[in-house]
Structure formats: C-alpha cells, structure tokens
Amino acid sequence: MNTTPKSMKKEILSHIRTYLLESDSATKVELSERLEISFPTISKFIAQMEMNGEIISVGLDESSGGRRAKRYKYNPEYMLGLAIYLEKAETNYVIFNCLGEIKERGDVSSVLEENDLHLLTMCIERVVSDYPKINSIAIGVPGSVDNGRIFYIPGYEQFQNLDVKGFYEEHFSIPVVVENDMNAAVLGYQQNRGVKDNQSLVYLYSGQNGPGAGLLINGNVVRGNTFFAGEVSFVPQNNNQNFRQALENGPKYDDIAFSMDYQIEPISSLVASLTAIINPHTIIFCNDEVDEEIIEIIAIASSKYIPPEHLPNLTISDWRQDYLYGLQSLGINLLINETIQ
Amino acid sequence: MNTTPKSMKKEILSHIRTYLLESDSATKVELSERLEISFPTISKFIAQMEMNGEIISVGLDESSGGRRAKRYKYNPEYMLGLAIYLEKAETNYVIFNCLGEIKERGDVSSVLEENDLHLLTMCIERVVSDYPKINSIAIGVPGSVDNGRIFYIPGYEQFQNLDVKGFYEEHFSIPVVVENDMNAAVLGYQQNRGVKDNQSLVYLYSGQNGPGAGLLINGNVVRGNTFFAGEVSFVPQNNNQNFRQALENGPKYDDIAFSMDYQIEPISSLVASLTAIINPHTIIFCNDEVDEEIIEIIAIASSKYIPPEHLPNLTISDWRQDYLYGLQSLGINLLINETIQ
DNA sequence: AATACTTATTAAAGGCTTTTAATAAGTTAT
DNA sequence: ATAACTTATTAAAAGCCTTTAATAAGTATT
C-alpha cells in the first residue's frame, strides 16, 4: 500500500519538485491546483523546502485583482547527479544539476579495457568527496542490465553478473541506476524531444557487435525474457539472410543490383518488420549513419511492405547526446523521487 | 494525487477483495500483514463488508497458542459480471461471478451481421434486469479498440468509431470495458496460466483477414501507434514474400520443396523475428491449428535463426477459452476495482 | 480617502488511518 | 484449577491531510 506517511511525503515531494522544475516557477496556489494537493499541505512543504534551501522565493506576482502571490523557484544547485559512461575505449563522467546543466566533465582510463572495477570506485569516491551534493549516480554500460545487475557484457568478464547498483548503493549510500547504453539513449531521446510517455520508440544503431536496437514500448524499456530484445541482427530477411548479413554482404542476386545503396533494402525491410509487430511511433537513426535523403528513401522503400499510414516517423538524432541525456534523466529521476528530507 | 479519502477507500477495498479471492479465505491479521494496512482499518472495512454481505465469516481458526482468529471468505455471488462476444456469425454472452464461475450462457442473433447496435442494447437490458447484481460489462470485438471506442472494425461500418464504453456506461451506469478479441485472449492466457504479470506474450492466430497476433509486452497490451501492432501478416520474409503470402502460397523455389509442411518455414521465421525484436517469454498457438509435434518442428526450425537459449516457449492453447477468460478477467477487474460502497 | 471587491495566506475543525495501550479469549504448565 | 503466557480484538490517542472559516493584503470604484 502507498498510504504510509513516509511514502506520502515522498510522493508529495516528488510532485512538487517535478512541477517546479518543469514549469520553471510556481505559486502555492498553482501547485495546489495542478497537483490536486490541498493548499495547507503545499504550504507546509514549501516552507520546509525553503528553509532547507531547496527552493527560493523570487518575489511577488503581478496582482490579479487581490493580494499578490509569492512565486517560488527550484534551486537547481540543491542536489547534483553523477553520470558515468563505460565505453570500450574510454570512461567519461559528467556532473550535472537538476536542470541537466553540466557542472563538470571528465574521464579516467577505460574501466572496461583495464577490466578494473576498482578504478571506477576510486573515480566515484573522488567525485563524491569533491561534490558532496551529489545525490544520485547513473551508470551506462554496453551490456544487458537487470535491475542494476550487469547480466551480459561480452568481452568484459570481470563485470559479468556484477550487482553494480547494490554494490555502490551500499558503498556510497547514494541511489544508483545502471542502464544499457541503447536503452539510455532511447530514454534520452524520449525525454529530450518531449515524446508522450506512453508511445513506442525504436533506436537503431550499428555497434561493433553488429546492429541492434533500443526499444521503448508504451513508454517502457523492453529487455525481453533473456535480455535479447532489440537484437535485430537476427531478424530473418530476404535471400536467406538475416538483417546483419544483408547489411554487411549486400544482395546476392540480381533483382536490386542497381540499388543506389544496398543497405536501403534491409533497413526498409526491418522498418516493415518493426511496424508489423510493434507499430512504433518513431524509429530513430544515428546522425553519423544516415542523412535526411536516405531516410526518405527508406520511408518510400518501406511502404512497399506496409500501408504508408501505419509507418512510423523516421528521424535522425545524435546518439551520444541522447545517451548522455538519458543517463542524466535517469539520474534526475532518482534525485526527484528518491531523495527525502 | 491518490490521497483523497475516496480513492483511498477504493484502493483498500480492491486490495482486500483481491487478496480474499486469491487466497480463498483470510483472517484480519493476515490481511493487515499482507496488505500492509493497519489492523483497525482492516477491521473497519471487514465489518462493513460483512454487513453488506460481501464477505462471510466461516468460523474460527485452530488456535496457534492464543485466542482463535475469525476467518472470512469472499461471497462470490455478491457481484456478477457480463461478458459479451461479438463475432462474425454469432453473438454470445456469459454471466459469471467473481470467481469466474459461469451462471448462465446465451446468444442472440449476430449483432455484427445484422449491423444492429440496438440488438446488443436490448440484450444487455434484458440480462441486467434479470440479474440486478451485474456490476460490470466486458465486450469483445474483432477490431481495434482505443479506450472503449471501436477504432477500426473492417466490414461493420455501423460500429466504426463508436464509443461503446461511453455509451453503455452512460446508459446503464455500470462500468464497461471493451477489448479486441486477440488482446482479450492473450490477457486470458496470462491470467489463466498464472503468468508473471510483467512478462511478454504473443498469441498467434490465423483469422479470416489473415494471420495476426495479440501482444503483451512487459504485461501490457500493445496496440501501437495506429493500432497496427500485431499485424504480422506484413512481416517481410524470404523470397520477396511477406508472412501471409509465404503461409498461403508456400515456397516458390526448390530448397525446401520437400518440407513436410510448407507452413513450418514462415512460422519459424516469424518466431525468429519476434524473438529478435521483443524476445517474448512465450508464443501461444491455437489448438485447432497446430499440435505438439508441429510445435517441436517449429522450435527446431527457429533455432536455425536464433541461439536456442533465447527462443521463447512455444505452447498451444484453446483460443475460445482464453478469449472467454480474458473478457471475464477484464470484467472481474472492474468488479474488484471500480465497485465502491 | 473610504468602501467594496479579489485573491493569498493563515488558522481552526474534521475525517482518515496509524500507533499504542487495554481487554478478551484461548492454551499450556504447574 | 489457577497462573502464566499467546494471540485476537477493541479502544483510545496521535498524526497527517483536507475542508472550511477567518484574516491579510492588494485593487478598483465612488
């Protein structure tokens, strides 16, 4: 049940924080009406939060015919988040505030390449002691993650089956979230572009281990039964090839030998498969892999398979930025929802 | 916010009902501990519900060292549900209690074939006046449904774009749920087989409009951006055919000319596509379309495409029964969650 | 400038549930 | 059979949010 006083307080706090951050500033009446929480309760929380320095009074509103209302802003520096990217060749980190503004970036030698968890721990220790306001840690990894535990990360056996979330939450007493890089990217896209939160998105990329996809269905990350969801390499296509083979090898027979780009066909076919199965709202491609022109050709080619009215939007985005944004938004969610006091 | 007294009461009620129905019977202490609601609150609700006849005292427990506890059971006859299936050639209905026990079945001439909503209204009117305890109506239709509104139902234009839920809730003042037949079936399978509620399931069938699928991903029904999700007919496959064509026309070249059943290959390929994209826990086939032997052949054929450890369970089920069960469980959900007093 | 009118904020009362204490109803041991 | 001990239930007190009433602080009008 969610009726204990503590969970109530937590919920009210996150609603107030979310609204203040989203709308930049608010009065008590606005909060009360929007959040459907009574005025006295809002008033009590606001007083407490102002005392803690979590929110700041920014003066009085223009009068709307009566007494002028006090307007409050969230203090974005009240809490900070730390996002860490474990990539093959490098390990970067970013410190950001509740608005997603970056306070510091940095890197350490690749935790994955060195196969050394201790390196990561030391990095976090240093950052956390430099920035005592850090209240959440988001870690992105190129592998499958199950509730903070790294489930499958080919090539980096030291990290296989490691409960990163459990370990660091114990170690630092700070909420931790761990997420797969593609899932973080698709979440980042969703947040960044203001996608409605129950839509379905697919983020396509071609990684070093072959192409793959990050999936959001009805707004939720899809991991699959054996964390195999999004492994679109394996989708069977024409000519007894799967998607990866078709992409790499090109056509094996003459029909489309004169296709300008032999990758168009497998991609369009994959778009059709995705549409016929999950009918997503948008499919996102990486900006270093396609351009607007190719996108349009793909769209046309896909409508060979699927009635055009059902085809998703095909868009292009910046993968690294989405990834960053996704990790940040996971971290900010922890700040907003998990920090209680 | 969910803190208003009314929504609180509603939530407590549904929790008590759910637990009593799932566990057959309970004491106040059991309810209090399991639901994490204080004993006095449970006690108050139980007293009220017993007075209404919603629950029944079934005597005292054996002593566990002290005063013996009273044990309570839910009275399954307290509320009834009505489920109606609109099918091409027939319209059937079922009246059931909270345990899913069927009190009466019946049919009227096909509402769809006659293209006559009034027929349905009259049928419900009669049933509801015969059984005043009916407190929920679940309607299954062979078309796309968006929040109770029939969105797309080829062939029955009178029903196109009809807000069935809104209309009947207004008309009868009883909660109504409308669901697509395949979605109801996959929900029914989930409930009936006690599938964990965040797993992904695919229900495959070959309807008169070609094959299709009902999808549950992370436990939620997937409708898609344009209600096209599950239209697996359109999945591109080998030999420039989509799934439907491959199924209907058979192979067009020689490689697999001696395949025992030429439908094996397209189905296995579809299983592979589903796995590579959403990696479901289980794929369900209809018992009048396949048997155990074929299932095994499909499983083997699929592992040509996908590492076997990622393949879903392939199972067989009774479609009509799952459909019925799905509608019933939607109806029972309304009884449990929406009835307040 | 004084009065009527708006609107924000504070204060008091009421309705929930939870926590804690008290009582009732059994069981076990002497 | 009585005392000591368990456990269920009832009763009272406390906490928290909401509703309602009262007050404060402006604006507009005469």
Side-chain angles (χ1 to χ4, degrees):
Chain A
M1 289 293 301
N2 51 358
T3 44
T4 66
K6 202 173 167 187
S7 70
M8 202 99 148
K9 183 173 175 183
K10 202 164 152 179
E11 192 148 317
I12 294 172
L13 256 180
S14 16
H15 282 262
I16 294 179
R17 285 171 176 154
T18 305
Y19 187 76
L20 279 174
L21 285 167
E22 275 176 1
S23 62
D24 188 67
S25 71
T27 66
K28 290 177 181 176
V29 168
E30 278 171 27
L31 282 164
S32 170
E33 284 173 354
R34 283 302 192 88
L35 305 180
E36 296 181 42
I37 300 172
S38 74
F39 187 92
T41 300
I42 294 290
S43 204
K44 193 185 98 181
F45 275 82
I46 291 293
Q48 180 65 44
M49 289 167 84
E50 192 180 9
M51 222 182 66
N52 294 344
E54 188 169 0
I55 58 176
I56 304 165
S57 171
V58 292
L60 301 173
D61 266 17
E62 289 299 290
S63 169
S64 53
R67 177 170 170 178
R68 296 165 69 187
K70 270 189 175 176
R71 180 159 290 276
Y72 297 90
K73 265 198 170 164
Y74 197 82
N75 172 9
E77 311 300 327
Y78 182 68
M79 299 188 284
L80 299 177
L82 167 62
I84 305 176
Y85 314 68
L86 306 189
E87 286 183 277
K88 190 178 151 68
E90 43 190 338
T91 296
N92 294 297
Y93 68 87
V94 162
I95 296 157
F96 52 92
N97 67 16
C98 283
L99 293 174
E101 293 164 347
I102 290 171
K103 315 304 290 181
E104 185 188 320
R105 337 179 78 105
D107 53 83
V108 295
S109 52
S110 171
V111 169
L112 292 178
E113 224 160 46
E114 310 266 334
N115 219 336
D116 187 0
L117 183 70
H118 189 58
L119 216 61
L120 180 60
T121 310
M122 289 199 330
C123 165
I124 303 178
E125 265 168 1
R126 193 181 52 69
V127 171
V128 166
S129 80
D130 281 3
Y131 292 86
K133 285 184 173 175
I134 284 181
N135 247 311
S136 80
I137 302 171
I139 302 174
V141 299
S144 311
V145 177
D146 182 15
N147 191 28
R149 192 170 57 89
I150 296 180
F151 186 81
Y152 178 64
I153 185 164
Y156 312 108
E157 270 59 32
Q158 219 216 347
F159 293 87
Q160 187 88 22
N161 252 310
L162 188 68
D163 180 4
V164 179
K165 176 182 158 77
F167 177 63
Y168 283 133
E169 284 191 339
E170 172 74 22
H171 193 294
F172 292 108
S173 300
I174 293 176
V176 174
V177 59
V178 187
E179 186 54 280
N180 164 268
D181 51 0
M182 281 314 296
N183 292 339
V186 71
L187 281 167
Y189 180 92
Q190 183 205 36
Q191 294 294 316
N192 205 5
R193 307 299 178 105
V195 174
K196 288 206 198 80
D197 51 341
N198 55 350
Q199 289 187 344
S200 301
L201 304 177
V202 178
Y203 212 126
L204 283 181
Y205 71 106
S206 49
Q208 57 265 60
N209 302 320
L215 262 65
L216 226 55
I217 295 187
N218 295 354
N220 299 308
V221 169
V222 178
R223 304 180 200 278
N225 182 42
T226 57
F227 298 90
F228 194 71
E231 297 291 345
V232 292
S233 295
F234 293 87
V235 170
Q237 297 200 328
N238 215 350
N239 303 316
N240 294 309
Q241 294 180 321
N242 65 26
F243 177 56
R244 182 179 191 171
Q245 294 161 339
L247 216 52
E248 287 174 352
N249 306 338
K252 280 197 173 146
Y253 68 126
D254 292 334
D255 288 36
I256 55 168
F258 283 88
S259 158
M260 263 198 54
D261 188 335
Y262 57 70
Q263 297 196 327
I264 297 287
E265 186 44 36
I267 295 176
S268 307
S269 170
L270 180 66
V271 167
S273 295
L274 289 167
T275 305
I277 292 173
I278 58 177
N279 184 213
H281 183 272
T282 301
I283 296 180
I284 305 135
F285 295 84
C286 298
N287 59 354
D288 52 356
E289 291 170 14
V290 300
D291 59 30
E292 290 293 348
E293 200 182 343
I294 297 180
I295 288 288
E296 280 188 33
I297 300 174
I298 293 172
I300 292 165
S302 303
S303 60
K304 197 172 62 189
Y305 299 107
I306 305 270
E309 65 268 30
H310 298 299
L311 284 174
N313 299 326
L314 304 181
T315 63
I316 301 175
S317 193
D318 179 334
W319 185 82
R320 283 198 71 82
Q321 189 184 303
D322 291 328
Y323 182 19
L324 165 62
Y325 207 90
L327 279 186
Q328 280 188 203
S329 89
L330 286 168
I332 291 175
N333 275 346
L334 288 186
L335 293 181
I336 289 176
N337 299 314
E338 300 301 324
T339 310
I340 188 167
Q341 53 161 323
Chain B
M1 290 293 301
N2 52 359
T3 43
T4 68
K6 204 174 167 186
S7 70
M8 202 99 149
K9 184 174 176 182
K10 202 164 151 180
E11 192 148 317
I12 293 172
L13 256 180
S14 19
H15 281 261
I16 293 178
R17 285 170 175 153
T18 305
Y19 187 75
L20 278 173
L21 285 167
E22 274 177 2
S23 62
D24 188 67
S25 70
T27 66
K28 290 177 181 176
V29 168
E30 279 170 28
L31 282 164
S32 169
E33 284 173 354
R34 282 305 191 89
L35 305 180
E36 297 181 42
I37 300 171
S38 74
F39 187 92
T41 300
I42 294 289
S43 204
K44 193 185 98 179
F45 275 82
I46 291 292
Q48 180 64 44
M49 290 167 85
E50 191 178 10
M51 223 182 65
N52 293 345
E54 188 168 358
I55 58 175
I56 303 164
S57 171
V58 292
L60 301 174
D61 268 17
E62 290 299 291
S63 168
S64 51
R67 178 171 171 176
R68 297 166 68 188
K70 271 189 174 176
R71 180 160 289 277
Y72 297 91
K73 263 196 172 166
Y74 197 83
N75 172 11
E77 311 300 325
Y78 181 68
M79 300 187 285
L80 299 177
L82 167 62
I84 306 176
Y85 315 69
L86 307 189
E87 287 183 277
K88 188 177 151 70
E90 44 188 340
T91 296
N92 294 296
Y93 67 87
V94 162
I95 297 156
F96 53 91
N97 67 17
C98 283
L99 293 174
E101 293 164 348
I102 290 170
K103 315 304 291 180
E104 186 188 318
R105 340 179 73 106
D107 53 82
V108 295
S109 52
S110 169
V111 169
L112 291 179
E113 221 158 50
E114 310 265 335
N115 216 334
D116 189 359
L117 183 71
H118 190 59
L119 216 62
L120 180 61
T121 309
M122 289 200 330
C123 166
I124 302 179
E125 266 168 1
R126 194 182 52 67
V127 170
V128 165
S129 82
D130 282 3
Y131 292 86
K133 285 183 173 174
I134 284 181
N135 247 313
S136 80
I137 303 172
I139 301 174
V141 298
S144 310
V145 177
D146 180 17
N147 190 29
R149 192 170 59 89
I150 296 180
F151 185 82
Y152 179 64
I153 184 164
Y156 312 107
E157 270 60 32
Q158 218 217 349
F159 293 86
Q160 188 86 24
N161 251 310
L162 189 67
D163 180 7
V164 180
K165 174 183 160 77
F167 177 63
Y168 284 132
E169 284 191 338
E170 173 74 19
H171 193 293
F172 292 108
S173 300
I174 292 177
V176 174
V177 59
V178 188
E179 187 53 280
N180 165 266
D181 51 0
M182 282 314 298
N183 291 339
V186 71
L187 281 167
Y189 180 92
Q190 183 203 36
Q191 294 293 316
N192 205 4
R193 308 299 178 102
V195 174
K196 287 206 197 77
D197 50 338
N198 55 351
Q199 287 186 344
S200 301
L201 304 177
V202 178
Y203 212 126
L204 282 181
Y205 72 106
S206 49
Q208 57 266 61
N209 302 321
L215 262 65
L216 227 56
I217 295 188
N218 295 354
N220 299 309
V221 169
V222 178
R223 304 180 200 279
N225 183 41
T226 57
F227 298 89
F228 194 71
E231 296 292 345
V232 292
S233 295
F234 293 88
V235 171
Q237 297 200 330
N238 215 350
N239 302 316
N240 294 310
Q241 294 181 320
N242 66 27
F243 177 56
R244 182 179 191 170
Q245 293 162 340
L247 216 51
E248 287 173 353
N249 305 339
K252 279 194 174 148
Y253 69 124
D254 293 333
D255 290 33
I256 55 168
F258 282 89
S259 159
M260 265 197 55
D261 188 334
Y262 58 70
Q263 297 194 330
I264 296 288
E265 186 43 35
I267 295 176
S268 307
S269 169
L270 181 65
V271 167
S273 294
L274 290 166
T275 305
I277 292 173
I278 59 177
N279 183 214
H281 183 272
T282 300
I283 295 180
I284 305 134
F285 295 85
C286 298
N287 59 353
D288 52 356
E289 292 171 12
V290 300
D291 59 29
E292 289 293 348
E293 199 182 343
I294 297 180
I295 287 288
E296 281 188 31
I297 299 174
I298 293 172
I300 291 165
S302 304
S303 60
K304 198 172 62 189
Y305 300 107
I306 305 269
E309 65 268 30
H310 298 300
L311 285 174
N313 299 326
L314 304 181
T315 63
I316 302 175
S317 192
D318 180 334
W319 186 82
R320 283 196 72 82
Q321 190 185 300
D322 290 328
Y323 183 18
L324 166 62
Y325 206 90
L327 280 186
Q328 280 188 203
S329 88
L330 286 168
I332 291 174
N333 274 347
L334 288 186
L335 292 180
I336 289 176
N337 298 315
E338 300 301 323
T339 311
I340 187 165
Q341 54 164 320

